[in-house]
Structure formats: C-alpha cells, structure tokens
Amino acid sequence: MTSRANIQVRALRDPAAFAAGIAAAGLLPSATHERVRNILASPLTGLGPYGVLDVRPLVAALDEGLCARTPLAGLPGRFLFALDDGTGDVATQNADISAIPDADSLRILLAGEDHGIRCPVEVTVPLMLTAAESFLTERAAQNSEAWRLAELQDGPAQVAARIAELFTSHVTVPARVTALVNTTATARVTAPVTTTATAQVAAPVTTTATAQVAARAATKVAARPTVGQTSAEGPGDRPGDGRPPLGVTPLSITPLGVIPLSDGTYAIGAAVPLGRLSAAHAAVLAEVAGSEGIVRLTPWRGVVVAGLSAEEAASAEAALGDAGLVTDPRSPWVGMTACTGRPGCAKSLTDVQADARASVPALRGSRSVHWAGCERRCGRPRSEVVDVVAVPGGYRVDFEGVSRTHRELDAVVGDVRSRRIG
Ligand code: SF4
C-alpha cells in the first residue's frame, strides 16, 4: 500500500490474466489516463462523524472529467488531487490541487497554499480540472519537466491567476490574484485551454448529483463551525496570502478500531504493518466486508470496512487482529513505516523491513519511525518522524538535527527510544 492509498500488486505469476481480471472488475476504466487517476478523498466521507460534505459524487465526477479530457493524460504520474470532506485529513497530504469545505463554499488549495480561491460546490470539479490543465500550460511556458505544481516557478500563484481569469463569475478571489491576471497570466493563456475550460464550466452545474451535494453541504456546514476557523486569527487565516491554511488539523494516522458512523452502522479501521497487505489479509477483509460492506483504503497504509452492525464490527476487529492487522491505536506498528528495502530495491543497503519488524516489540511508546534503505527515504510520512537511514555498516538515526550512527540494531533501537516524546 502506498502513501496515496494505492495498491501495488507484486509477485504475480500471470500479469496479463491479473490485468484482465481487474479490468473486468471495473478498476481500469481508462487505458489512456490510468497513470493520472490520482485522487485522494477523506476515507470516511459520507459515513464518518466529522465530515461536513459527502465528497463521493465529487470524486466520481473528477475521475470521469479527468479521463474525458485528452490533454490531462499528459499529467505527470506524481500529480495528485485531494477532496477533503471537512475532516482535515487529506487536505494536508501534499496534493497539487485540493478542495475542502469552507463555510458555504469550497476552499481550493494549490500545492497546499491558500491563494484565496473559493468556489461553489458545483464548480469545484471543473475548476480543479482546469487548474490541472493550467499546470500543464504553465509547465510548457516555463519549458519545465516538473512533476509537481510546487516545482514550477511561482506555480501556485500562476495557476490561481488563470483560475481567476477563466472562472470570473463562479469564484471569489482576492484582488492580489486578480491583479496577476492582468499582467503575466493573460500572456500565457493558450486557446485550447481557454476553450476546454469555458466549455466545461457550465455543464456540471445543473446535474442532479452536484445539486444534491450542494444542499447537503449547506445543511451540514451550517450546523458546525467553519473548517479553518481559529480562535486567534493569524496571517494564514486570511484568504489569499499564499500560506498554508490554519485551523485544519492534520490527521496523520489511519482510523483504527470500531468507529460509530452517522447512519447508525459501524466501521472497523485497521493499519497494515509496513503497508504490506498479504493475500491472507485481503481474504479476511473480503470476508468481514461480506457482500454489503464497503472497503476503503487510507493514505496512512490502512483500511476501513464500513456498513457493519455493532456485532459484525466487534467480530471483524477480532478477525483482523488474528490475521495480523492492527486495530489498537497504542500498537507500536502505528506510526512505523519503512521503504521497500532489500531485496525489492537495488539501491537499498540492507533489509530495512526485517530490521523494522525485529525492533517493533522494543519500540512501544516511542515516536513514529521511518526506516529507509538509502538517503532517498522513499515513503517517508509528512508528519514528524525519527529517521533511521541505512548507511555502510549500520544505521544513522536522525531527529531534530541530531544524528548518531550505530552498527548494532540494539543500539539503533535504544537511540530511537531515547528520542521520546517530552
Ligand atoms: S529509500 Fe532508497 S532503498 Fe528505500 S526504496 Fe527508496 S531508493 Fe530504495
């Protein structure tokens, strides 16, 4: 499992048969756009206790719109969209284009920066798609090979300016962004993008699905404090200052244990140790979900099974635990991550996953740890972690600017434990 809630399936005996099987199951809807269908959504959206907007219709519309726009097949495979239901979980996951409810509209974040773009729910999908097209246009204008919006020079601000220009009657933008439209942005607009964007702005507005979402959002948003409100206003609270939003609390672990849902049913959340979901794990998940259950993956290498009765959730918790999945938030597996390491990665200096597994019993109560087989530190979470990086002859432990190198695993574990909270 990846930090984008994707699954990479390894050790296949017959890849062609496997591909045919998942295509038949509807998991490969677009041969041309498969690599760019990277959309994160709040794992409990529409079900959980914290979200204010069910983003499932937006996810479906964004996926459909992404596959329908030919130029977007040219997005880099690393480019990421996120639709947050107000929980504040996936808006903090470093997506290139994110949307999160904000009072009676949605706040658009560009590479995590708030440039003051607010739009009604029914315009969110065409706006996000146009922002992605604008990234491609800006990338071409800068003669860049950038994979991410943040890698472009002034990328988020340039895309904000293009959105302000193309969605004039649909979005609210601060004057600072509008001014940018009249200078650099206008010169960069190309005919194909303008045509595509304006032609698709109006179409989704009147669809039944988005109208229902709008009504639901209006009701729920009115019933709870605005996401993003803080008691002490700081510079980041003001729309359009380009800084990360304040007041959105990053949730950096997967939902765990039995979770009561808003419709009276229950979900069970589990972490997958080191993100390695075995065939046996998958079989148990399918069994506890049954024919009616809902299975969702999380970007914290976890899984949620929803739509269960209280009794089913209790027995599912036991079954998942017996299979080796983690439902206890106090488990040392929670917060432990590792890259592929040896033998899967040729760059790795050692089998980091084996060392991580061996160290788990001794690391209960320690800080979160990321093990890496080389300095690249693939899969490192965005949250604060102790880094354990393989070096010739041992490991180096890095935390808050203090690095120590050890030859023995016991010494590594002792060092990690010494970086205790508080
Ligand atoms: S961090 Fe290094 S060793 Fe680990 S998967 Fe990435 S490239 Fe390979």
Side-chain angles (χ1 to χ4, degrees):
M1 300 178 68
T2 74
S3 59
R4 294 173 161 216
N6 286 330
I7 286 190
Q8 298 172 353
V9 184
R10 298 179 182 166
L12 294 171
R13 293 192 188 88
D14 188 345
F18 179 81
I22 60 171
L27 292 173
L28 294 174
S30 171
T32 53
H33 288 66
E34 183 52 38
R35 206 172 43 86
V36 302
R37 296 176 58 235
N38 300 316
I39 304 171
L40 277 183
S42 298
L44 288 174
T45 191
L47 304 168
Y50 304 121
V52 296
L53 172 67
D54 182 353
V55 297
R56 286 176 294 184
L58 297 182
V59 171
L62 183 59
D63 190 21
E64 192 178 331
L66 187 58
C67 294
R69 295 194 184 194
T70 303
L72 293 182
L75 283 173
R78 301 288 299 164
F79 200 85
L80 182 65
F81 299 88
L83 284 161
D84 194 302
D85 69 356
T87 304
D89 46 11
V90 298
T92 54
Q93 292 300 303
N94 198 29
D96 296 276
I97 303 168
S98 309
I100 182 170
D102 185 345
D104 58 353
S105 61
L106 277 96
R107 175 194 310 183
I108 302 297
L109 304 177
L110 300 168
E113 296 180 5
D114 183 359
H115 285 262
I117 305 288
R118 304 288 184 273
C119 67
V121 66
E122 64 269 23
V123 177
T124 303
V125 166
L127 189 148
M128 293 177 81
L129 293 169
T130 299
E133 290 178 330
S134 300
F135 161 77
L136 290 175
T137 301
E138 185 62 29
R139 189 172 79 145
Q142 293 188 18
N143 197 23
S144 167
E145 298 286 318
W147 287 356
R148 308 296 306 271
L149 179 55
E151 295 168 8
L152 288 180
Q153 186 178 357
D154 220 11
Q158 293 297 344
V159 169
R162 294 178 59 80
I163 291 171
E165 180 182 47
L166 295 169
F167 288 79
T168 309
S169 59
H170 294 282
V171 303
T172 57
V173 294
R176 185 182 58 77
V177 174
T178 309
L180 192 57
V181 172
N182 297 326
T183 53
T184 56
T186 304
R188 296 172 189 270
V189 173
T190 60
V193 170
T194 306
T195 305
T196 308
T198 49
Q200 297 190 25
V201 166
V205 172
T206 54
T207 62
T208 306
T210 49
Q212 288 171 347
V213 169
R216 206 176 304 133
T219 306
K220 287 197 173 184
V221 169
R224 60 168 275 167
T226 303
V227 174
Q229 278 182 343
T230 55
S231 54
E233 186 185 75
D237 293 307
R238 300 186 203 105
D241 65 5
R243 294 176 56 181
L246 298 181
V248 175
T249 305
L251 301 179
S252 56
I253 65 168
T254 196
L256 294 169
V258 176
I259 305 157
L261 301 178
S262 53
D263 64 357
T265 64
Y266 292 81
I268 178 75
V272 180
L274 301 182
R276 293 248 167 164
L277 188 76
S278 68
H281 291 151
V284 173
L285 286 168
E287 190 177 324
V288 301
S291 58
E292 302 294 321
I294 300 162
V295 180
R296 294 181 184 170
L297 309 179
T298 80
W300 307 280
R301 296 179 174 87
V303 62
V304 173
V305 181
L308 306 175
S309 67
E311 296 74 26
E312 289 169 337
S315 61
E317 184 172 30
L320 296 182
D322 290 346
L325 299 177
V326 176
T327 58
D328 181 355
R330 296 163 300 178
S331 167
W333 282 116
V334 178
M336 179 173 290
T337 52
C339 77
T340 300
R342 277 189 184 172
C345 177
K347 291 185 183 301
S348 184
L349 296 176
T350 189
D351 185 347
V352 287
Q353 298 220 353
D355 288 339
R357 288 178 188 281
S359 71
V360 157
L363 287 179
R364 180 177 290 275
S366 77
R367 289 182 181 274
S368 296
V369 187
H370 182 68
W371 297 72
C374 78
E375 298 289 349
R376 277 196 184 185
R377 308 181 194 205
C378 298
R380 186 185 190 279
R382 296 193 73 218
S383 53
E384 184 182 78
V385 295
V386 178
D387 287 283
V388 179
V389 183
V391 295
Y395 282 102
R396 192 185 66 244
V397 179
D398 298 336
F399 186 67
E400 290 186 335
V402 178
S403 299
R404 302 186 197 108
T405 300
H406 309 279
R407 302 190 75 81
E408 303 297 330
L409 190 58
D410 284 350
V412 172
V413 169
D415 194 346
V416 172
R417 288 185 60 82
S418 76
R419 320 286 179 111
R420 280 181 177 280
I421 298 167

